[in-house]
DNA sequence: ATGACCGACCATGTCGGA
């Protein structure tokens, strides 16, 4: 079967529900993972997703900020939410699709919103950066987020808030001291990827040294002209599933829509 | 300076994003 999975930091799901609908009608992924829903679970726009053909919804939200969600055409056999770093700050939700969904194997999907980390890349003076580093360490050691589990497929997607490779940013040299591309974050993210046995699906389609971005600052007067982007959003897959990937799309067009999110969707398709 | 912004909230400024 064909399975398409999308991830998008929507920066308020209530504000941009029409844009989500437009993306779903245009790309029709089987599952959509959202970050920064900024929405308590009881105010999540469920009815809109049901109408769009996504009646299966897993939420981990809270009032005002952060928050993640998975909406799906297929039912979930299980939903899990993990509190990283002992904070209850709505940064993770996982769903499992059973073989009943048409899959030869069960599939577990983790959806993450990794802490941004504040301005100053010093864990001694910036508690937000210390939190981000601790979160990445926990991601590397958390057994549930290991890809290599016999007999099942796994995906780890989301806004990981790190652009780990040299060509994941517009200027490697100029961003070495900028949170999201400092060497310690990049190393910790790459370590988590290795430790979990994950494959980078996006870079399998667009290897370095090609530039690859999913985020452009709101502050640039003309984001497309400046093109000072970063690859903060990621799709990782377990090895067998990565080998079954047939397509990867960065839906850049959404960045030009009216009142856009500063992140754009990433969509991966698998033939399994 | 990449940066001239953007969203939620018991709002009219503050916090967080990155």
């Amino acid at each position: 079967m064909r399975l398409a999975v999308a991830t998008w930091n929507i920066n308020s799901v209530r504000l941009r529900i029409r844009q989500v609908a437009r993306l779903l009608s245009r790309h029709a992924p089987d599952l959509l993972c959202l970050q920064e829903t900024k929405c308590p679970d009881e105010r999540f726009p469920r009815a809109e997703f049901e109408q769009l053909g996504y009646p299966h919804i897993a939420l981990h939200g809270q009032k005002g900020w952060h928050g993640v969600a998975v909406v799906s055409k297929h039912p979930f056999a299980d939903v899990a939410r993990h509190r990283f770093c002992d904070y209850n700050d709505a940064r993770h939700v996982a769903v499992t699709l059973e073989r009943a969904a048409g899959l030869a194997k069960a599939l577990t999907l983790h959806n993450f919103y990794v802490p941004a980390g504040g301005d100053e890349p010093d864990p001694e003076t910036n508690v937000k950066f210390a939190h981000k580093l601790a979160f990445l360490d926990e991601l590397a050691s958390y057994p549930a987020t290991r890809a290599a589990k016999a007999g099942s497929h796994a995906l780890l997607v989301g806004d990981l808030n790190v652009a780990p490779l040299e060509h994941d940013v517009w200027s490697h040299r100029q961003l070495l001291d900028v949170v999201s591309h400092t060497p310690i974050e990049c190393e910790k993210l790459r370590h988590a990827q290795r430790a979990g046995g994950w494959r980078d699906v996006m870079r399998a389609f667009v290897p370095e040294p090609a530039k690859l971005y999913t985020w452009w600052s709101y502050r640039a007067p003309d984001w497309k002209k400046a093109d000072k982007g970063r690859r903060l959003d990621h799709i990782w897959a377990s090895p067998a599933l990565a080998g079954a990937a047939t397509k990867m799309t960065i839906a850049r067009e959404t960045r030009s829509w009216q009142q856009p999110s500063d992140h754009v969707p990433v969509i991966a398709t698998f033939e399994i």
Side-chain angles (χ1 to χ4, degrees):
Chain A
M1 74 172 289
R2 169 191 161 279
L3 189 83
V5 177
T7 179
W8 193 7
N9 179 321
I10 192 61
N11 189 12
S12 175
V13 67
R14 284 175 291 172
L15 185 69
R16 281 185 254 279
I17 185 64
R18 301 324 310 160
Q19 297 189 37
V20 177
R22 197 171 164 191
L23 181 88
L24 291 176
S25 62
R26 191 173 289 191
H27 292 274
D30 294 275
L31 298 117
L32 171 64
C33 299
L34 295 168
Q35 304 86 34
E36 285 206 82
T37 52
K38 298 188 174 179
C39 184
D41 292 350
E42 64 273 16
R43 297 195 60 192
F44 190 84
R46 280 181 173 275
E48 285 85 344
F49 285 102
E50 285 164 8
Q51 250 176 352
L52 291 161
Y54 296 82
H56 308 288
I57 298 170
L59 300 176
H60 193 179
Q62 62 179 11
K63 189 168 78 172
W65 71 97
H66 311 333
V68 290
V70 183
V71 302
S72 171
K73 294 181 176 182
H74 310 289
F76 305 137
D78 193 30
V79 175
R81 299 165 188 86
H82 185 69
R83 298 177 182 189
F84 282 76
C85 303
D86 284 329
Y87 283 112
N88 186 22
D89 55 354
R91 295 184 180 277
H92 169 262
V93 63
V95 301
T96 302
L97 301 190
E98 278 299 355
R99 298 177 56 163
L103 297 164
K105 295 176 178 180
L107 182 145
T108 298
L109 166 66
H110 294 276
N111 177 19
F112 274 98
Y113 177 54
V114 171
D119 277 325
E120 182 62 42
D122 180 356
E124 302 296 322
T125 57
N126 174 7
V127 293
K128 293 181 191 172
F129 194 67
H131 177 211
K132 183 178 195 176
L133 297 182
F135 195 103
L136 293 171
D137 286 341
E138 193 171 333
L139 177 61
S141 62
Y142 183 51
T145 51
R146 300 265 158 121
K149 207 166 116 188
S152 65
H153 291 303
L155 286 165
L156 190 159
V157 311
D159 178 2
L160 305 185
N161 263 321
V162 180
L165 304 177
E166 182 171 342
H167 298 282
D168 290 341
V169 293
W170 65 276
S171 170
H172 174 62
R173 189 177 54 81
Q174 291 180 77
L175 275 84
L176 279 171
D177 293 326
V178 175
V179 172
S180 73
H181 193 62
T182 63
I184 188 167
E185 294 166 81
C186 294
E187 179 45 46
K188 284 184 184 295
L189 190 76
R190 289 193 298 260
H191 172 68
Q193 188 182 311
R194 275 196 308 273
W198 298 102
R199 300 289 161 82
D200 181 343
V201 173
M202 297 175 70
R203 278 298 184 189
F205 283 88
V206 187
E208 289 213 296
K211 294 290 186 187
L212 205 52
Y213 312 141
T214 64
W215 174 90
W216 292 263
S217 172
Y218 281 127
R219 294 196 184 193
D222 183 337
W223 72 275
K224 195 181 280 186
K225 188 174 169 211
D227 199 23
K228 289 176 175 169
R230 305 178 201 170
R231 184 170 71 118
L232 303 180
D233 304 275
H234 298 267
I235 296 180
W236 295 352
S238 50
L241 191 57
T246 55
K247 193 178 173 194
M248 190 283 294
T249 303
I250 298 178
R252 275 173 59 110
E253 70 271 17
T254 67
R255 191 64 179 77
S256 296
W257 291 353
Q258 282 256 295
Q259 202 176 18
S261 170
D262 45 357
H263 295 252
V264 301
V266 185
I267 307 154
T269 305
F270 305 90
E271 294 289 343
I272 48 179

